Amino acid sequence: MNTIANNIKLRLSLREPLQEALDIVAKLSDDLTLDKVPDNQDEAIEFLKNELDKVKNSFTTCTNFQRDFPSIAFSIATGVGKTRLMGACIAYLYLHKGIKNFFVLAPNLTIYDKLIEDFGNPAYHKYVFNGISEFVHNRPVIITGDNYNQQGNLFKDGEIRINIFNISKFNSDNKGQKKGGIALAPKIKRLSEYLGQSYWEYLSGIQDLVILMDEAHRYHADASKNAINELKPILGLELTATPFDEKGQQFKNVVYEYSLAQALTDGTFVKNPAIATRKNFKRGDLSDKEIEIIKLEDAISIHQDTKTELEIYSKNNGVKLVKPFILVVCKDISHAREVYDLINSDEFYEGEYKGKVLQIDSSTKKEEEIEKQFLSLESPDNEIEIVIHVNMLKEGWDVTNLYTIVPLRAANAAVLVEQTIGRGLRLPYDGKRTGVDKIDKLTVVAHENFEAVIAAAQDPNSVLNKMSFIEIPEEDLRTKTEVVTSKPIIEQKLENEQIEVNKIENKDNQQKAQNSLDAKKAIINSLPDFNSLPEVRRVEDLNKEEVKRKVIRQIEKKLNEGQGNLFTADIVKEAEATYEKIVASYKENIIEIPRMDLVLGEVTATFNHFDLDTTYFNYQALEQEIIRMGLKDKSVETLKAKSSGSYGNPVKMIIAELIDYPEIDYDDNADLLYHLATQAYNNIEENIDKKENILQAIFQFKSAIADKIYLQMKANFSLSTPDYVAPRVYPFTKIEQWNFSVLVNAGYKDYRDVVTPTIMVPKYVFRGFEKACHFEYKFDSKTEQDLAFVLENDKKVLKWLRPAANQFRIYWDNNSKRYEPDFIIETEDTIYMVEPKSSANMQDPDVLAKKEAAIKYCKYATEFTSQNSGKPWKYLLVPHNEISRTINFDLLIAKFL
């Protein structure tokens, strides 16, 4: 087990593909010599052959270094984190091998600037060495293409040096120049006043220089290759998403590949790309300009939908708000200006996007304001929602909030699939998918070449080879949505009361009413903070005098914070007078949902006790010999070696080998290890010809003995099924607000309305509830709307709730997902958690896993409430075809409890 590599993986939170790549670097850094290639040509050829053989032994895909030094390539999909892997490799080679000198090559100015921040700025949110404690007090010195001739501390002991160069700068500084007709050495090869030699000579003379090549496909041209070869590094690490040189030839030194197709199949680290066209689209007699307008309109529709989903996700999960934008690809600069003028005009969506569009190409790139807006596209403060470009977005443009791409030029389908899409695959939330389809999706609007793009994407040789395809119904293009918040009834009533207070004309009366309202708000906002007090076991306990005093003290403290409230004394007095009444109102308008974090325990691995099959444990000690050769006469003789016999305890020797296997923990398996190692020893001793050689035989074959024991241990290995950990339970929690989208026009329905076709139900917000904990809800299906109808009109039901996404903390699927119940229903004697589900999916593994989690929640909730005079909790999983508006709730309880 490589503890240094494992620590780096944990500290840098490396994703699985990057962990695998780092393991390869760790292995090869041990296998390779890590010396400079000899200057003698014949010796150099032999040296490189031997080094290549070492790599080929483990990685048959590496058949040629393709450079004058050992260099290995990693083909890793865009968006997975190649820069973080470079940081991990630097940290590992320093910590494990003591290598202090690194040379990082960037293919263009954009990546060059980004890498300087990534490697050199600890305050930068993407700093690659965050978590590497050894680099906190010994920060790597960053030497760049702009300051290399000013470095005066290059020989400081213990210093880690990372040289970062832009390849174009590197090449230009490596070219000779003329001045006054006199030939000058290339700038990088001229004398340095600090070093007393050229920087080039200094670099090429370093004995431990490792070169890392970002976007390595850019450094296979002869000029780049020759310049890099002259540096004479001991090792090259090449990273690229497209391992092909400028002639289309595949790299011959790839040791690891994690392709975009694999990333898409895994469904974790990149957006899911989709191609969209308008439903029933036909080109017919449409002009190019008309098609462009249709595509732009469709892109806006998709963009607004995505924007809404991101806002809802942000509010529901308490995470940063991501502002999406559209990328429009134009044919040339004049075309880009024409599209810019259209979008930025009053005619385009009534001027809604004026000031929110940016044209970025060679004619605008150097304008300071445009450059500033372009570089800050991820910032929520940046108002740009549409970027128009002409061939300006190459590697290194790694924004995470690009969600919609509109190619207006006549793009080759394969080029569109393999290049343009790559610019938008990065994910905004920690580089992982959220599980919300629209937030995890990148959409390319491609009408006239829709079929061609599909064919290109489905080509077995496509880098994607896995895409989804969607058609936009025309009616969706005419709808516009906005985000609305449905607050719990108790909060909504206070907002309504505020409106009435604002209408009071007499200032004294208005202030008195405001103080009364502020007292109510303060109490309502404070009550959930006191659910963890030992004396509070249900909502009624909030009326205890000692609890009331604590609540009032907290209210007074908050009112006095900052500049304070002029009316604190009046508000506190009002709060004391109305406290019991507000608590009663609070209880009346909530369901007492016990608060708990329900999480699964860890999976435990167990080696079961067993007796060793010793059939093949027959080892005889080998003769130990010394070979001696004369330096002058080359004579060879063999001498017999005699052992001192100090091998140590034979059983412990075997155990020491066994615990090198990462799955075997000594503390957990000590008894079994001693049992097996002793059985192995006893059997070898019984069958050995010379008993006095037993220790020597164990010493010589300890690795083979441990391997045979390990194989049998694996056959007796089991994983426990994790159970839910008993949680700490609190008596109640606040009812969370809902955030959802609604159609701007005609987006509301009465819950009693019959919606046709039923597929339209999820589009509407429903109102008119009298028993619910909110005034407004959305439903995912007609079944859910029908169940709401039943609950509102069933006398048995006192209150019901459609919980918001963050109402419960119930986790499942190894704690990677949170279960969100559909309905909570309170009756006179019980509280029910109810999940309507398609009858076809009742035995689906995910459904059953969520059911198990829900039942556990109900169990722990009931254990708590039964001790505190509360109501028991029960779970119902109901097939959709059992729910209609004509049933009553008792029938569902009788059939599915």
Side-chain angles (χ1 to χ4, degrees), residues 193-213:
E193 59 182 288
Y194 297 103
L195 301 176
Q197 61 178 329
S198 76
Y199 189 70
W200 184 266
E201 289 172 336
Y202 164 71
L203 283 175
S204 59
I206 291 174
Q207 296 302 306
D208 66 344
L209 185 67
V210 171
I211 186 166
L212 299 98
M213 291 164 261

Side-chain angles (χ1 to χ4, degrees), residues 865-880:
T865 57
S866 64
Q867 297 170 16
N868 297 285
S869 304
K871 297 177 182 180
W873 281 66
K874 297 179 180 179
Y875 178 74
L876 299 180
L877 179 64
V878 183
H880 80 285

Side-chain angles (χ1 to χ4, degrees), residues 28-29 31-39 44 47-48 51 54 65 68-71 97 99 206-210 232-236:
L28 291 180
S29 68
D31 293 347
L32 294 171
T33 307
L34 295 184
D35 284 337
K36 278 189 174 292
V37 178
D39 292 330
F47 176 86
L48 287 172
E51 296 296 276
K54 294 174 184 176
F65 289 138
D68 293 347
F69 56 90
S71 189
K97 293 294 181 180
I99 293 172
I206 291 174
Q207 296 302 306
D208 66 344
L209 185 67
V210 171
K232 300 178 181 177
I234 61 172
L235 177 66

